[in-house]
Amino acid sequence: MLGTIDLSLVDWSRAQFALTAIYHWFFVPLTLGLSFLIAIMETIYVRTGNEEWKRITKFWMKLFGINFAIGIATGIILEFEFGTNWSNYSWMVGDIFGAPLAIEGIFAFFLESTFIAVMFFGWNKVSKKFHLTSTWLVAFGSNLSALWILVANAWMQYPVGMHFNPGTARSEMLNFWDVLFSPFAVNKFLHTVTSAYVVAALFVLGISAWYLYKKRELLLAKRSIIVAAVFGLISALFLAMTGDGSAYLVAQKQPMKLAAMEGLYHGKKGADLVVFGVLKNDAHKDSLDNFTFNLGIPKLLSALGYKNSNAFVPGIKDLVDGNPKENIMSAGAKIEKGRVALAALASFKEFKKLKNQTKADSALGVFNANSTYMGYGYFDTPESIIPNVPLTFYSFRIMILLGGFFIFLFMLVLYFAMKNKLESKKLLLFITMLSFPLGYLASETGWIVAEVGRQPWAIQDLLPTAVATTHIGTSSVITTFVIFAVLFTALLIAEIKIMISQIKSGPEGGDHV
Amino acid sequence: MIRGIKKGFTKVFMLYYDGFRTMTIGKKLWTIILIKLFIMFIILKIFFFPNFLKTKFSSDAERSDYVLEQLTQPNTN
């Protein structure tokens, strides 16, 4: 069925969405994490009355303001794309996404927009406590607005609390709380925002390390490093914890993604977690040896994914060909059921049009019995359910290794900062400066694992990405892709240039926001 | 009470007024924001990103019909 779809259109639509999402995510982590770091610094100022903390707070607030201003509304473009490039998908999820996105709009507008003005303009005009409250509300507001969009994303990975209405082709919400508190939503929110906190902590550490390296703004740098290292360390440890929760959920609900993350072609009991590995170029489910080299920790994948070190972890071959011994249905069988569901949906539509209620009800019964597999009905071959394994596998390794490195870095920096010896550790300062872009790399690769790993699905098991796409001209998608690439690159260059000039000027130099 | 509300509004207005007046880097940022919003909402939204289903169909019934057709025969234009 998918064989007749223009795949270059689908690929360009995906590339366009990926480009805008990746660029959008350059701005978001700093907003989410810096807002809390600033609130913590201002709290210290209000509690101690020490003017140096006010100076420190105002400096980071200025950089926060630059990022906030340049990044503002970049996410709206994703919503434009939903309506133009992903209209089938948008229609199908409209009822589910409507509520979270509306709440996001209200929170973002009222909390962020109102209190951010007090935060920037209110120094010496409102009381210290009111100003501090505003700063905390900006932090909570921006994080709350992130909650709703992440709830929507989590629903696509694990669609719960809804019912597909075959009459309207829309997923209708049955229980808002099931959507909001689905384990995927809770985990995705916590894992994503803590990754943002780590990026923001690395940003503060990197700039402060540069000041120490240059022997400038020593007090600001030292104090900022302590706050950022503690905040970063706590966040990074929590991130690892939620990562563990994420592995468990993926194993239960998206086993193909887990298999791709691990390059696991053949399932086994007591599966190893690959720490390092190089996949062969011709890695395939029917090949028994798919690694050029790999180093794993015995049984850890089974332990993380199933809380049992001897549990069976299905591989790509098990999920495609099926494994009756482990009670795993083949993709081929799911495709058959999916085709029955789609044929019944088409019949239901026809009989409704002909006003033949008896036959429509009968078709509806068949559809309901097979609707769990509806999305599979679009695939021509069982292998179509395999995502891009190398991209998912290597992205996962990069994310995990960098996550471990950040924990080590935060500990090391904190140790030397507490001993007041950080200034003399030139190599460590240099590594700390370089770690900020690595924070972004880890965060973006995390998104690649989450989104590429769940392909070919736009909505897990219900709607393949190719069917979610609007049938518009490929050339128009290419045009907007280029426009976005130019626009976002210009914005990013502007942000970096303004930031660098403000950082070089320091807290006293530079301009007021 | 009315005097109190008036005073409150004046205070809020002055907060914004003084804030915007004393901005330096903020002016550069606002320029970037306004250019960006112009490109996004006036050029991109209108010329490149019409809502496909809203512009092509006039009722929800037509839209759901079209999407159902797309779901059951995904190659149909």
Side-chain angles (χ1 to χ4, degrees):
Chain A
M1 218 171 194
L2 288 184
T4 50
I5 288 182
D6 178 4
L7 286 179
S8 73
L9 168 68
V10 178
D11 288 342
W12 275 108
S13 301
R14 284 184 63 198
Q16 185 198 58
F17 198 86
L19 176 86
T20 39
I22 285 173
Y23 264 110
H24 178 54
W25 192 250
F26 277 125
F27 302 106
V28 176
L30 281 191
T31 302
L32 298 183
L34 260 187
S35 58
F36 272 121
L37 277 163
I38 290 165
I40 292 166
M41 289 168 179
E42 192 178 339
T43 304
I44 300 173
Y45 161 60
V46 171
R47 289 186 71 112
T48 61
N50 184 326
E51 287 295 313
E52 179 62 21
W53 278 109
K54 184 180 179 183
R55 189 170 158 267
I56 294 170
T57 307
K58 286 181 93 169
F59 172 67
W60 294 112
M61 202 176 270
K62 184 160 58 179
L63 300 186
F64 168 85
I66 295 166
N67 178 68
F68 187 86
I70 296 182
I72 203 164
T74 49
I76 299 272
I77 289 178
L78 297 170
E79 289 185 34
F80 290 175
E81 288 170 17
F82 284 140
T84 305
N85 304 88
W86 305 96
S87 60
N88 295 335
Y89 158 85
S90 293
W91 179 261
M92 203 165 155
V93 302
D95 189 49
I96 304 289
F97 279 23
L101 292 180
I103 295 169
E104 189 213 342
I106 292 165
F107 267 113
F109 184 78
F110 284 107
L111 274 179
E112 289 174 279
S113 315
T114 309
F115 291 102
I116 210 160
V118 178
M119 195 170 114
F120 283 110
F121 302 153
W123 292 106
N124 307 324
K125 290 198 175 125
V126 297
S127 72
K128 275 184 186 177
K129 282 191 177 166
F130 184 69
H131 191 277
L132 179 63
T133 308
S134 302
T135 308
W136 277 105
L137 284 173
V138 168
F140 281 115
S142 53
N143 279 263
L144 265 176
S145 66
L147 167 73
W148 302 109
I149 192 75
L150 292 170
V151 164
N153 180 278
W155 183 86
M156 288 153 67
Q157 317 263 347
Y158 178 49
V160 285
M162 66 90 196
H163 159 79
F164 177 74
N165 182 339
T168 60
R170 300 200 95 163
S171 293
E172 293 168 355
M173 197 179 292
L174 293 177
N175 189 330
F176 174 73
W177 303 109
D178 282 354
V179 175
L180 181 61
F181 291 117
S182 101
F184 262 77
V186 173
N187 182 273
K188 180 157 275 290
F189 173 69
L190 295 175
H191 194 61
T192 310
V193 295
T194 43
S195 80
Y197 301 162
V198 169
V199 173
L202 289 167
F203 173 77
V204 173
L205 278 191
I207 293 165
S208 304
W210 183 76
Y211 280 139
L212 284 189
Y213 197 79
K214 292 276 175 189
K215 299 195 183 304
R216 285 182 52 191
E217 308 296 343
L218 296 182
L219 191 56
L220 176 144
K222 284 178 185 175
R223 288 186 173 180
S224 300
I225 280 175
I226 301 233
V227 173
V230 171
F231 183 74
L233 182 59
I234 294 169
S235 303
L237 291 171
F238 193 72
L239 186 63
M241 233 170 72
T242 52
D244 172 55
S246 179
Y248 176 75
L249 290 170
V250 168
Q252 308 305 311
K253 305 295 177 193
Q254 295 177 305
M256 181 57 88
K257 186 197 277 187
L258 186 74
M261 283 157 68
E262 284 301 311
L264 185 69
Y265 283 87
H266 298 269
K268 61 175 179 177
K269 288 187 173 168
D272 303 354
L273 183 88
V274 179
V275 181
F276 296 105
V278 178
L279 283 166
K280 285 184 176 168
N281 285 338
D282 58 352
H284 191 268
K285 73 178 175 63
D286 294 321
S287 164
L288 285 172
D289 181 18
N290 285 306
F291 280 99
T292 304
F293 148 83
N294 75 325
L295 177 71
I297 302 173
K299 301 194 174 198
L300 190 57
L301 184 61
S302 292
L304 290 175
Y306 295 88
K307 308 294 176 208
N308 172 359
S309 58
N310 289 314
F312 179 82
V313 181
I316 291 169
K317 185 176 171 61
D318 303 285
L319 295 164
V320 172
D321 297 343
N323 183 336
K325 202 175 144 201
E326 296 295 336
N327 210 15
I328 297 169
M329 192 193 285
S330 71
K334 289 179 183 177
I335 287 171
E336 284 310 313
K337 283 175 178 283
R339 285 176 182 166
V340 172
L342 289 176
L345 183 61
S347 303
F348 173 74
K349 184 177 162 241
E350 277 312 303
F351 290 132
K352 282 282 275 186
K353 208 178 267 178
L354 296 169
K355 298 194 188 317
N356 188 333
Q357 196 57 44
T358 316
K359 286 192 171 174
D361 287 346
S362 161
L364 185 60
V366 176
F367 173 76
N368 286 337
N370 295 280
S371 62
T372 314
Y373 304 101
M374 179 175 121
Y376 286 90
Y378 297 104
F379 298 124
D380 298 314
T381 62
E383 285 79 8
S384 305
I385 67 163
I386 305 173
N388 184 326
V389 178
L391 184 57
T392 312
F393 175 82
Y394 291 118
S395 298
F396 185 58
R397 305 269 101 55
I398 292 170
M399 180 189 76
I400 293 285
L401 291 176
L402 285 175
F405 165 70
F406 296 147
I407 292 175
F408 181 65
L409 181 76
F410 287 132
M411 286 167 73
L412 211 58
V413 167
L414 188 59
Y415 173 78
F416 286 115
M418 299 295 278
K419 293 256 173 197
N420 207 13
K421 286 181 180 169
L422 196 56
E423 271 172 273
S424 59
K425 306 286 173 197
K426 296 287 180 194
L427 180 64
L428 181 59
L429 289 177
F430 191 69
I431 292 170
T432 307
M433 281 185 258
L434 291 183
S435 296
F436 169 54
L438 293 180
Y440 271 117
L441 179 64
S443 200
E444 299 282 8
T445 49
W447 274 112
I448 290 172
V449 173
E451 299 305 305
V452 174
R454 74 181 166 99
Q455 292 305 314
W457 301 108
I459 306 170
Q460 186 73 37
D461 294 351
L462 289 180
L463 185 71
T465 310
V467 184
T469 322
T470 313
H471 293 280
I472 53 175
T474 309
S475 58
S476 78
V477 184
I478 296 172
T479 308
T480 48
F481 176 90
V482 174
I483 292 174
F484 285 148
V486 172
L487 178 69
F488 278 114
T489 306
L491 287 174
L492 199 62
I493 291 170
E495 164 149 352
I496 293 170
K497 276 185 81 167
I498 297 171
M499 281 261 193
I500 288 175
S501 103
Q502 293 302 312
I503 292 163
K504 278 185 176 170
S505 307
E508 262 67 58
D511 302 311
H512 299 288
V513 170
Chain B
M1 191 182 166
I2 292 171
R3 260 185 83 181
I5 294 170
K6 255 186 168 176
K7 211 176 153 189
F9 269 114
T10 313
K11 238 179 149 179
V12 172
F13 174 77
M14 287 311 288
L15 176 87
Y16 279 85
Y17 179 76
D18 283 344
F20 282 114
R21 200 169 49 86
T22 55
M23 277 193 318
T24 48
I25 187 173
K27 282 179 184 147
K28 198 187 289 177
L29 295 176
W30 271 108
T31 311
I32 293 173
I33 291 172
L34 292 175
I35 294 171
K36 180 175 66 177
L37 293 181
F38 176 79
I39 293 172
M40 280 169 55
F41 287 97
I42 308 296
I43 300 176
L44 290 175
K45 179 65 187 161
I46 294 174
F47 296 105
F48 293 98
F49 286 95
N51 186 304
F52 180 79
L53 293 176
K54 275 191 184 157
T55 50
K56 205 164 177 187
F57 305 101
S58 55
S59 70
D60 275 358
E62 286 177 35
R63 287 176 199 122
S64 63
D65 245 19
Y66 172 78
V67 176
L68 267 174
E69 194 173 279
Q70 291 293 304
L71 292 182
T72 50
Q73 295 167 297
N75 55 327
T76 314
N77 281 313

